[in-house]
Each structure stands twice: as structure tokens, then as C-alpha cells.
mmCIF file of all heavy atoms in Angstrom:
data_model
loop_
_atom_site.group_PDB
_atom_site.id
_atom_site.type_symbol
_atom_site.label_atom_id
_atom_site.label_comp_id
_atom_site.label_asym_id
_atom_site.label_seq_id
_atom_site.Cartn_x
_atom_site.Cartn_y
_atom_site.Cartn_z
ATOM 1 N N THR K 554 0.840 -1.200 0.000
ATOM 2 C CA THR K 554 0.000 0.000 0.000
ATOM 3 C C THR K 554 0.880 1.255 0.000
ATOM 4 O O THR K 554 2.065 1.222 0.357
ATOM 5 C CB THR K 554 -0.914 0.053 1.236
ATOM 6 O OG1 THR K 554 -0.110 0.241 2.410
ATOM 7 C CG2 THR K 554 -1.742 -1.228 1.359
ATOM 8 N N GLY K 555 0.232 2.376 -0.331
ATOM 9 C CA GLY K 555 0.953 3.648 -0.321
ATOM 10 C C GLY K 555 1.361 4.045 1.096
ATOM 11 O O GLY K 555 2.452 4.574 1.322
ATOM 12 N N ARG K 556 0.459 3.771 2.089
ATOM 13 C CA ARG K 556 0.774 4.133 3.464
ATOM 14 C C ARG K 556 1.937 3.327 3.989
ATOM 15 O O ARG K 556 2.820 3.859 4.681
ATOM 16 C CB ARG K 556 -0.485 3.910 4.333
ATOM 17 C CG ARG K 556 -0.309 4.237 5.807
ATOM 18 C CD ARG K 556 0.230 5.625 6.047
ATOM 19 N NE ARG K 556 -0.545 6.657 5.369
ATOM 20 C CZ ARG K 556 -0.152 7.923 5.239
ATOM 21 N NH1 ARG K 556 1.051 8.287 5.688
ATOM 22 N NH2 ARG K 556 -0.907 8.804 4.622
ATOM 23 N N ASP K 557 1.965 2.001 3.660
ATOM 24 C CA ASP K 557 3.100 1.166 4.082
ATOM 25 C C ASP K 557 4.409 1.694 3.475
ATOM 26 O O ASP K 557 5.457 1.682 4.139
ATOM 27 C CB ASP K 557 2.871 -0.281 3.642
ATOM 28 C CG ASP K 557 1.759 -0.963 4.445
ATOM 29 O OD1 ASP K 557 1.437 -0.444 5.540
ATOM 30 O OD2 ASP K 557 1.234 -1.983 3.971
ATOM 31 N N ALA K 558 4.325 2.123 2.230
ATOM 32 C CA ALA K 558 5.527 2.650 1.573
ATOM 33 C C ALA K 558 6.029 3.904 2.282
ATOM 34 O O ALA K 558 7.234 4.065 2.534
ATOM 35 C CB ALA K 558 5.229 2.963 0.107
ATOM 36 N N LEU K 559 5.089 4.812 2.641
ATOM 37 C CA LEU K 559 5.487 6.047 3.326
ATOM 38 C C LEU K 559 6.099 5.750 4.695
ATOM 39 O O LEU K 559 7.092 6.371 5.096
ATOM 40 C CB LEU K 559 4.280 6.980 3.463
ATOM 41 C CG LEU K 559 3.738 7.566 2.151
ATOM 42 C CD1 LEU K 559 2.410 8.293 2.391
ATOM 43 C CD2 LEU K 559 4.751 8.522 1.531
ATOM 44 N N ASP K 560 5.486 4.780 5.406
ATOM 45 C CA ASP K 560 6.026 4.428 6.723
ATOM 46 C C ASP K 560 7.428 3.822 6.593
ATOM 47 O O ASP K 560 8.335 4.134 7.381
ATOM 48 C CB ASP K 560 5.080 3.433 7.429
ATOM 49 C CG ASP K 560 3.766 4.065 7.830
ATOM 50 O OD1 ASP K 560 3.707 5.326 7.885
ATOM 51 O OD2 ASP K 560 2.791 3.328 8.089
ATOM 52 N N TRP K 561 7.600 2.934 5.613
ATOM 53 C CA TRP K 561 8.912 2.273 5.437
ATOM 54 C C TRP K 561 9.975 3.312 5.064
ATOM 55 O O TRP K 561 11.087 3.308 5.609
ATOM 56 C CB TRP K 561 8.793 1.205 4.343
ATOM 57 C CG TRP K 561 10.001 0.313 4.251
ATOM 58 C CD1 TRP K 561 10.212 -0.871 4.881
ATOM 59 C CD2 TRP K 561 11.174 0.568 3.464
ATOM 60 N NE1 TRP K 561 11.433 -1.392 4.561
ATOM 61 C CE2 TRP K 561 12.066 -0.514 3.679
ATOM 62 C CE3 TRP K 561 11.573 1.594 2.606
ATOM 63 C CZ2 TRP K 561 13.309 -0.595 3.068
ATOM 64 C CZ3 TRP K 561 12.812 1.508 2.008
ATOM 65 C CH2 TRP K 561 13.673 0.419 2.248
ATOM 66 N N LEU K 562 9.624 4.211 4.179
ATOM 67 C CA LEU K 562 10.591 5.222 3.726
ATOM 68 C C LEU K 562 10.885 6.270 4.799
ATOM 69 O O LEU K 562 11.874 6.999 4.711
ATOM 70 C CB LEU K 562 10.078 5.915 2.457
ATOM 71 C CG LEU K 562 10.057 5.029 1.217
ATOM 72 C CD1 LEU K 562 9.318 5.718 0.074
ATOM 73 C CD2 LEU K 562 11.481 4.678 0.779
ATOM 74 N N ASN K 563 9.998 6.343 5.789
ATOM 75 C CA ASN K 563 10.260 7.251 6.892
ATOM 76 C C ASN K 563 11.419 6.761 7.757
ATOM 77 O O ASN K 563 12.078 7.561 8.443
ATOM 78 C CB ASN K 563 8.997 7.400 7.749
ATOM 79 C CG ASN K 563 9.037 8.635 8.623
ATOM 80 O OD1 ASN K 563 9.465 9.702 8.180
ATOM 81 N ND2 ASN K 563 8.603 8.494 9.858
ATOM 82 N N GLU K 564 11.685 5.462 7.702
ATOM 83 C CA GLU K 564 12.738 4.861 8.534
ATOM 84 C C GLU K 564 13.924 4.352 7.716
ATOM 85 O O GLU K 564 14.996 4.099 8.278
ATOM 86 C CB GLU K 564 12.158 3.670 9.332
ATOM 87 C CG GLU K 564 11.006 4.026 10.243
ATOM 88 C CD GLU K 564 11.449 4.930 11.399
ATOM 89 O OE1 GLU K 564 12.649 4.844 11.773
ATOM 90 O OE2 GLU K 564 10.626 5.704 11.906
ATOM 91 N N ASN K 565 13.767 4.212 6.415
ATOM 92 C CA ASN K 565 14.783 3.561 5.593
ATOM 93 C C ASN K 565 15.073 4.384 4.331
ATOM 94 O O ASN K 565 14.318 5.287 3.976
ATOM 95 C CB ASN K 565 14.329 2.154 5.191
ATOM 96 C CG ASN K 565 14.000 1.289 6.399
ATOM 97 O OD1 ASN K 565 14.893 0.764 7.038
ATOM 98 N ND2 ASN K 565 12.712 1.173 6.713
ATOM 99 N N LYS K 566 16.155 3.993 3.681
ATOM 100 C CA LYS K 566 16.548 4.628 2.428
ATOM 101 C C LYS K 566 16.450 3.617 1.293
ATOM 102 O O LYS K 566 16.725 2.425 1.487
ATOM 103 C CB LYS K 566 17.983 5.163 2.494
ATOM 104 C CG LYS K 566 18.208 6.257 3.527
ATOM 105 C CD LYS K 566 17.530 7.549 3.116
ATOM 106 C CE LYS K 566 17.829 8.662 4.112
ATOM 107 N NZ LYS K 566 17.142 9.918 3.741
ATOM 108 N N ALA K 567 16.099 4.087 0.134
ATOM 109 C CA ALA K 567 16.030 3.218 -1.047
ATOM 110 C C ALA K 567 16.729 3.908 -2.204
ATOM 111 O O ALA K 567 16.626 5.119 -2.377
ATOM 112 C CB ALA K 567 14.582 2.916 -1.406
ATOM 113 N N LYS K 568 17.440 3.097 -2.989
ATOM 114 C CA LYS K 568 18.095 3.649 -4.161
ATOM 115 C C LYS K 568 17.090 3.901 -5.269
ATOM 116 O O LYS K 568 17.222 4.858 -6.035
ATOM 117 C CB LYS K 568 19.201 2.706 -4.636
ATOM 118 C CG LYS K 568 19.973 3.216 -5.848
ATOM 119 C CD LYS K 568 21.179 2.354 -6.161
ATOM 120 C CE LYS K 568 22.334 2.684 -5.217
ATOM 121 N NZ LYS K 568 23.601 2.050 -5.673
ATOM 122 N N LEU K 569 16.032 3.045 -5.341
ATOM 123 C CA LEU K 569 15.050 3.164 -6.417
ATOM 124 C C LEU K 569 13.708 2.618 -5.922
ATOM 125 O O LEU K 569 13.668 1.605 -5.223
ATOM 126 C CB LEU K 569 15.507 2.384 -7.655
ATOM 127 C CG LEU K 569 14.573 2.386 -8.872
ATOM 128 C CD1 LEU K 569 14.443 3.790 -9.458
ATOM 129 C CD2 LEU K 569 15.087 1.414 -9.935
ATOM 130 N N LEU K 570 12.633 3.320 -6.274
ATOM 131 C CA LEU K 570 11.277 2.839 -5.982
ATOM 132 C C LEU K 570 10.668 2.316 -7.275
ATOM 133 O O LEU K 570 10.679 3.013 -8.293
ATOM 134 C CB LEU K 570 10.399 3.972 -5.445
ATOM 135 C CG LEU K 570 10.924 4.805 -4.270
ATOM 136 C CD1 LEU K 570 9.885 5.854 -3.874
ATOM 137 C CD2 LEU K 570 11.289 3.938 -3.097
ATOM 138 N N LEU K 571 10.124 1.058 -7.211
ATOM 139 C CA LEU K 571 9.313 0.527 -8.331
ATOM 140 C C LEU K 571 7.867 0.717 -7.899
ATOM 141 O O LEU K 571 7.335 -0.053 -7.089
ATOM 142 C CB LEU K 571 9.634 -0.939 -8.595
ATOM 143 C CG LEU K 571 11.079 -1.249 -9.006
ATOM 144 C CD1 LEU K 571 11.220 -2.714 -9.372
ATOM 145 C CD2 LEU K 571 11.500 -0.383 -10.180
ATOM 146 N N LEU K 572 7.238 1.751 -8.416
ATOM 147 C CA LEU K 572 5.968 2.245 -7.888
ATOM 148 C C LEU K 572 4.809 1.925 -8.821
ATOM 149 O O LEU K 572 4.786 2.357 -9.979
ATOM 150 C CB LEU K 572 6.085 3.769 -7.694
ATOM 151 C CG LEU K 572 4.861 4.528 -7.226
ATOM 152 C CD1 LEU K 572 4.394 4.045 -5.859
ATOM 153 C CD2 LEU K 572 5.168 6.035 -7.171
ATOM 154 N N ASP K 573 3.825 1.142 -8.275
ATOM 155 C CA ASP K 573 2.595 0.870 -9.029
ATOM 156 C C ASP K 573 1.745 2.128 -9.026
ATOM 157 O O ASP K 573 1.612 2.794 -8.001
ATOM 158 C CB ASP K 573 1.838 -0.291 -8.375
ATOM 159 C CG ASP K 573 0.721 -0.814 -9.266
ATOM 160 O OD1 ASP K 573 0.566 -0.269 -10.383
ATOM 161 O OD2 ASP K 573 0.022 -1.741 -8.846
ATOM 162 N N TYR K 574 1.190 2.475 -10.182
ATOM 163 C CA TYR K 574 0.423 3.717 -10.259
ATOM 164 C C TYR K 574 -0.885 3.604 -9.479
ATOM 165 O O TYR K 574 -1.314 4.565 -8.830
ATOM 166 C CB TYR K 574 0.145 4.068 -11.732
ATOM 167 C CG TYR K 574 -0.568 5.385 -11.877
ATOM 168 C CD1 TYR K 574 0.143 6.585 -11.703
ATOM 169 C CD2 TYR K 574 -1.930 5.444 -12.156
ATOM 170 C CE1 TYR K 574 -0.492 7.805 -11.823
ATOM 171 C CE2 TYR K 574 -2.577 6.658 -12.273
ATOM 172 C CZ TYR K 574 -1.861 7.842 -12.102
ATOM 173 O OH TYR K 574 -2.499 9.052 -12.202
ATOM 174 N N GLU K 575 -1.534 2.396 -9.543
ATOM 175 C CA GLU K 575 -2.818 2.189 -8.856
ATOM 176 C C GLU K 575 -2.584 1.347 -7.613
ATOM 177 O O GLU K 575 -2.186 0.186 -7.688
ATOM 178 C CB GLU K 575 -3.815 1.479 -9.777
ATOM 179 C CG GLU K 575 -4.197 2.263 -11.012
ATOM 180 C CD GLU K 575 -5.164 3.401 -10.682
ATOM 181 O OE1 GLU K 575 -5.664 3.443 -9.538
ATOM 182 O OE2 GLU K 575 -5.392 4.253 -11.558
ATOM 183 N N LEU K 576 -2.812 1.934 -6.394
ATOM 184 C CA LEU K 576 -2.667 1.226 -5.131
ATOM 185 C C LEU K 576 -4.012 1.202 -4.416
ATOM 186 O O LEU K 576 -4.889 2.050 -4.702
ATOM 187 C CB LEU K 576 -1.602 1.922 -4.267
ATOM 188 C CG LEU K 576 -0.189 1.897 -4.827
ATOM 189 C CD1 LEU K 576 0.714 2.829 -4.034
ATOM 190 C CD2 LEU K 576 0.378 0.483 -4.813
ATOM 191 N N PRO K 577 -4.209 0.297 -3.467
ATOM 192 C CA PRO K 577 -5.522 0.184 -2.813
ATOM 193 C C PRO K 577 -5.943 1.457 -2.090
ATOM 194 O O PRO K 577 -7.132 1.814 -2.084
ATOM 195 C CB PRO K 577 -5.313 -0.964 -1.821
ATOM 196 C CG PRO K 577 -4.168 -1.741 -2.350
ATOM 197 C CD PRO K 577 -3.291 -0.738 -3.019
ATOM 198 N N ASP K 578 -5.018 2.176 -1.460
ATOM 199 C CA ASP K 578 -5.388 3.318 -0.622
ATOM 200 C C ASP K 578 -5.091 4.674 -1.274
ATOM 201 O O ASP K 578 -5.578 5.697 -0.814
ATOM 202 C CB ASP K 578 -4.670 3.238 0.723
ATOM 203 C CG ASP K 578 -3.159 3.110 0.555
ATOM 204 O OD1 ASP K 578 -2.698 2.805 -0.562
ATOM 205 O OD2 ASP K 578 -2.431 3.312 1.549
ATOM 206 N N MET K 579 -4.306 4.708 -2.302
ATOM 207 C CA MET K 579 -3.984 5.976 -2.973
ATOM 208 C C MET K 579 -3.302 5.681 -4.290
ATOM 209 O O MET K 579 -2.909 4.550 -4.547
ATOM 210 C CB MET K 579 -3.090 6.851 -2.085
ATOM 211 C CG MET K 579 -1.720 6.257 -1.795
ATOM 212 S SD MET K 579 -0.678 7.354 -0.779
ATOM 213 C CE MET K 579 -1.470 7.203 0.811
ATOM 214 N N LYS K 580 -3.154 6.702 -5.100
ATOM 215 C CA LYS K 580 -2.438 6.547 -6.355
ATOM 216 C C LYS K 580 -0.923 6.727 -6.121
ATOM 217 O O LYS K 580 -0.512 7.378 -5.167
ATOM 218 C CB LYS K 580 -2.926 7.556 -7.382
ATOM 219 C CG LYS K 580 -4.354 7.314 -7.858
ATOM 220 C CD LYS K 580 -4.716 8.252 -8.963
ATOM 221 C CE LYS K 580 -6.155 8.008 -9.423
ATOM 222 N NZ LYS K 580 -6.331 6.666 -10.008
ATOM 223 N N GLY K 581 -0.183 6.148 -7.009
ATOM 224 C CA GLY K 581 1.272 6.281 -6.895
ATOM 225 C C GLY K 581 1.726 7.734 -6.899
ATOM 226 O O GLY K 581 2.678 8.121 -6.217
ATOM 227 N N ILE K 582 0.990 8.556 -7.693
ATOM 228 C CA ILE K 582 1.363 9.969 -7.759
ATOM 229 C C ILE K 582 1.210 10.662 -6.415
ATOM 230 O O ILE K 582 1.942 11.591 -6.065
ATOM 231 C CB ILE K 582 0.520 10.674 -8.852
ATOM 232 C CG1 ILE K 582 1.153 12.029 -9.205
ATOM 233 C CG2 ILE K 582 -0.924 10.850 -8.410
ATOM 234 C CD1 ILE K 582 0.509 12.643 -10.443
ATOM 235 N N ASP K 583 0.222 10.164 -5.583
ATOM 236 C CA ASP K 583 0.000 10.735 -4.253
ATOM 237 C C ASP K 583 1.153 10.375 -3.318
ATOM 238 O O ASP K 583 1.521 11.170 -2.444
ATOM 239 C CB ASP K 583 -1.320 10.227 -3.674
ATOM 240 C CG ASP K 583 -2.523 10.666 -4.503
ATOM 241 O OD1 ASP K 583 -2.459 11.792 -5.061
ATOM 242 O OD2 ASP K 583 -3.492 9.896 -4.603
ATOM 243 N N VAL K 584 1.714 9.176 -3.504
ATOM 244 C CA VAL K 584 2.873 8.772 -2.687
ATOM 245 C C VAL K 584 4.050 9.725 -2.958
ATOM 246 O O VAL K 584 4.706 10.201 -2.037
ATOM 247 C CB VAL K 584 3.271 7.316 -3.010
ATOM 248 C CG1 VAL K 584 4.554 6.941 -2.261
ATOM 249 C CG2 VAL K 584 2.143 6.351 -2.655
ATOM 250 N N VAL K 585 4.269 9.995 -4.237
ATOM 251 C CA VAL K 585 5.379 10.889 -4.606
ATOM 252 C C VAL K 585 5.156 12.289 -4.032
ATOM 253 O O VAL K 585 6.074 12.919 -3.488
ATOM 254 C CB VAL K 585 5.524 10.964 -6.147
ATOM 255 C CG1 VAL K 585 6.562 12.017 -6.538
ATOM 256 C CG2 VAL K 585 5.899 9.602 -6.693
ATOM 257 N N ASP K 586 3.881 12.791 -4.120
ATOM 258 C CA ASP K 586 3.580 14.128 -3.607
ATOM 259 C C ASP K 586 3.770 14.192 -2.097
ATOM 260 O O ASP K 586 4.275 15.196 -1.566
ATOM 261 C CB ASP K 586 2.151 14.529 -3.981
ATOM 262 C CG ASP K 586 1.989 14.802 -5.474
ATOM 263 O OD1 ASP K 586 3.043 15.000 -6.143
ATOM 264 O OD2 ASP K 586 0.858 14.814 -5.971
ATOM 265 N N GLU K 587 3.362 13.143 -1.377
ATOM 266 C CA GLU K 587 3.518 13.132 0.079
ATOM 267 C C GLU K 587 4.986 13.114 0.469
ATOM 268 O O GLU K 587 5.390 13.792 1.421
ATOM 269 C CB GLU K 587 2.794 11.902 0.655
ATOM 270 C CG GLU K 587 2.821 11.808 2.178
ATOM 271 C CD GLU K 587 2.158 13.000 2.843
ATOM 272 O OE1 GLU K 587 1.217 13.592 2.261
ATOM 273 O OE2 GLU K 587 2.607 13.364 3.973
ATOM 274 N N LEU K 588 5.781 12.335 -0.239
ATOM 275 C CA LEU K 588 7.226 12.328 0.032
ATOM 276 C C LEU K 588 7.831 13.716 -0.195
ATOM 277 O O LEU K 588 8.701 14.171 0.557
ATOM 278 C CB LEU K 588 7.925 11.304 -0.872
ATOM 279 C CG LEU K 588 7.674 9.831 -0.532
ATOM 280 C CD1 LEU K 588 8.247 8.928 -1.631
ATOM 281 C CD2 LEU K 588 8.302 9.464 0.815
ATOM 282 N N GLY K 589 7.335 14.401 -1.232
ATOM 283 C CA GLY K 589 7.828 15.749 -1.514
ATOM 284 C C GLY K 589 7.513 16.714 -0.394
ATOM 285 O O GLY K 589 8.329 17.573 -0.042
ATOM 286 N N LYS K 590 6.294 16.586 0.198
ATOM 287 C CA LYS K 590 5.931 17.457 1.310
ATOM 288 C C LYS K 590 6.840 17.235 2.516
ATOM 289 O O LYS K 590 7.109 18.165 3.270
ATOM 290 C CB LYS K 590 4.476 17.198 1.705
ATOM 291 C CG LYS K 590 3.468 17.659 0.662
ATOM 292 C CD LYS K 590 2.054 17.273 1.089
ATOM 293 C CE LYS K 590 1.037 17.663 0.010
ATOM 294 N NZ LYS K 590 -0.353 17.260 0.393
ATOM 295 N N ARG K 591 7.280 16.003 2.698
ATOM 296 C CA ARG K 591 8.187 15.696 3.814
ATOM 297 C C ARG K 591 9.629 16.154 3.543
ATOM 298 O O ARG K 591 10.461 16.096 4.430
ATOM 299 C CB ARG K 591 8.217 14.179 4.043
ATOM 300 C CG ARG K 591 6.915 13.564 4.512
ATOM 301 C CD ARG K 591 7.151 12.072 4.681
ATOM 302 N NE ARG K 591 5.974 11.349 5.078
ATOM 303 C CZ ARG K 591 5.953 10.025 5.314
ATOM 304 N NH1 ARG K 591 7.085 9.333 5.163
ATOM 305 N NH2 ARG K 591 4.850 9.435 5.680
ATOM 306 N N GLY K 592 9.896 16.530 2.311
ATOM 307 C CA GLY K 592 11.267 16.870 1.955
ATOM 308 C C GLY K 592 12.100 15.659 1.600
ATOM 309 O O GLY K 592 13.338 15.727 1.578
ATOM 310 N N GLN K 593 11.403 14.531 1.321
ATOM 311 C CA GLN K 593 12.103 13.310 0.929
ATOM 312 C C GLN K 593 11.997 13.145 -0.583
ATOM 313 O O GLN K 593 10.913 13.262 -1.157
ATOM 314 C CB GLN K 593 11.486 12.085 1.633
ATOM 315 C CG GLN K 593 11.706 12.076 3.139
ATOM 316 C CD GLN K 593 11.018 10.867 3.770
ATOM 317 O OE1 GLN K 593 9.782 10.780 3.799
ATOM 318 N NE2 GLN K 593 11.826 9.935 4.259
ATOM 319 N N HIS K 594 13.134 12.855 -1.175
ATOM 320 C CA HIS K 594 13.156 12.713 -2.634
ATOM 321 C C HIS K 594 13.870 11.414 -2.990
ATOM 322 O O HIS K 594 15.049 11.235 -2.673
ATOM 323 C CB HIS K 594 13.870 13.910 -3.279
ATOM 324 C CG HIS K 594 13.230 15.225 -2.952
ATOM 325 N ND1 HIS K 594 12.100 15.670 -3.592
ATOM 326 C CD2 HIS K 594 13.553 16.176 -2.033
ATOM 327 C CE1 HIS K 594 11.750 16.854 -3.094
ATOM 328 N NE2 HIS K 594 12.626 17.168 -2.134
ATOM 329 N N PHE K 595 13.147 10.534 -3.657
ATOM 330 C CA PHE K 595 13.694 9.247 -4.079
ATOM 331 C C PHE K 595 13.502 9.105 -5.578
ATOM 332 O O PHE K 595 12.534 9.608 -6.150
ATOM 333 C CB PHE K 595 12.978 8.086 -3.357
ATOM 334 C CG PHE K 595 13.185 8.071 -1.875
ATOM 335 C CD1 PHE K 595 12.274 8.694 -1.025
ATOM 336 C CD2 PHE K 595 14.292 7.450 -1.326
ATOM 337 C CE1 PHE K 595 12.465 8.684 0.345
ATOM 338 C CE2 PHE K 595 14.484 7.430 0.047
ATOM 339 C CZ PHE K 595 13.572 8.060 0.887
ATOM 340 N N GLU K 596 14.462 8.434 -6.195
ATOM 341 C CA GLU K 596 14.308 8.116 -7.611
ATOM 342 C C GLU K 596 13.257 7.009 -7.736
ATOM 343 O O GLU K 596 13.254 6.046 -6.956
ATOM 344 C CB GLU K 596 15.642 7.641 -8.199
ATOM 345 C CG GLU K 596 16.791 8.611 -8.023
ATOM 346 C CD GLU K 596 16.618 9.885 -8.846
ATOM 347 O OE1 GLU K 596 15.727 9.894 -9.715
ATOM 348 O OE2 GLU K 596 17.362 10.853 -8.600
ATOM 349 N N PHE K 597 12.352 7.145 -8.709
ATOM 350 C CA PHE K 597 11.286 6.138 -8.832
ATOM 351 C C PHE K 597 10.988 5.825 -10.292
ATOM 352 O O PHE K 597 11.192 6.663 -11.177
ATOM 353 C CB PHE K 597 10.013 6.586 -8.098
ATOM 354 C CG PHE K 597 9.368 7.811 -8.669
ATOM 355 C CD1 PHE K 597 8.318 7.697 -9.587
ATOM 356 C CD2 PHE K 597 9.783 9.092 -8.294
ATOM 357 C CE1 PHE K 597 7.729 8.824 -10.116
ATOM 358 C CE2 PHE K 597 9.180 10.219 -8.818
ATOM 359 C CZ PHE K 597 8.153 10.086 -9.728
#
């Protein structure tokens, strides 16, 4: 899920995200936008 991804990335680092556009709780684009609000930037 998008929420699980945000929680995991809050504690860990990733070199690359393989991001599904359609997730059960949000769209992939929303995950990217939320990371941007936190000041976190990952290649995806």
C-alpha cells in the first residue's frame, strides 16, 4: 500500500522505488507528492 511505503521510507533509504500507479489506498502519484511534502526525494 501507499501508506506502508510512506512508513517504510520514513525509517529507511532506497536507491530506487518501483511504484505501481494504482494502489488500494492511494495513487502512486500521491505517494510521490507526500514524500515531496516531507522533503524526501527518491528516484522512482
Side-chain angles (χ1 to χ4, degrees):
T554 68
R556 180 53 53 192
D557 289 341
L559 292 171
D560 291 342
W561 190 92
L562 291 170
N563 199 42
E564 301 293 333
N565 303 281
K566 297 290 183 182
K568 181 172 281 191
L569 179 65
L570 308 181
L571 298 186
L572 177 61
D573 192 1
Y574 184 75
E575 297 285 350
L576 295 169
D578 54 345
M579 64 178 73
K580 292 186 181 296
I582 196 170
D583 297 326
V584 175
V585 173
D586 290 343
E587 183 60 30
L588 288 171
K590 291 176 183 178
R591 295 180 182 181
Q593 293 178 292
H594 301 281
F595 296 93
E596 304 292 348
F597 64 96

